[in-house]
Amino acid sequence: RELLEFLRKHSTHANGLNDLGCYHIDRGETEHAIQCFTQAVSNHPSAFTARLNLIRLLCDIKRYPDARPHLEALAKQGFNVRVHVG
């Protein structure tokens, strides 16, 4: 509840949005999680953890074309991220 209240007041905070996305994953609320991670990386393009969580989730649900631009963004930032499919 504290996190939800914080996010209501500071809806652009990348770490809070990432945490909320993880909360939604735990509850099986995939689309809500995607929205949180997407908002986090939209507001903070260098938010590595939120972007990585978004990539993982999109790959888990086999939305590879949606994950690709996020992988490319991490590569442009100098990260070498490998995704194992299957």
Side-chain angles (χ1 to χ4, degrees):
R1 292 181 188 189
E2 290 177 24
L3 177 60
L4 293 174
E5 185 61 32
F6 176 83
L7 288 173
R8 286 187 189 106
K9 293 179 182 177
H10 305 93
S11 63
T12 62
H13 193 274
N15 290 336
L17 289 166
N18 179 68
D19 291 346
L20 186 58
C22 293
Y23 168 80
H24 286 301
I25 287 174
D26 289 344
R27 295 179 53 103
E29 300 168 345
T30 302
E31 288 304 316
H32 289 295
I34 290 170
Q35 290 172 4
C36 290
F37 297 139
T38 300
Q39 185 177 350
V41 299
S42 293
N43 295 340
H44 303 277
S46 63
F48 176 81
T49 303
R51 192 177 298 273
L52 187 59
N53 284 335
L54 178 58
I55 291 166
R56 287 177 177 161
L57 180 55
L58 291 171
C59 288
D60 284 348
I61 61 173
K62 300 183 181 1
R63 286 177 48 182
Y64 307 115
D66 294 331
R68 185 181 184 113
H70 298 287
L71 284 165
E72 291 170 351
L74 288 182
K76 286 180 184 176
Q77 293 175 17
F79 294 102
N80 183 12
V81 177
R82 295 180 185 177
V83 177
H84 298 279
V85 179

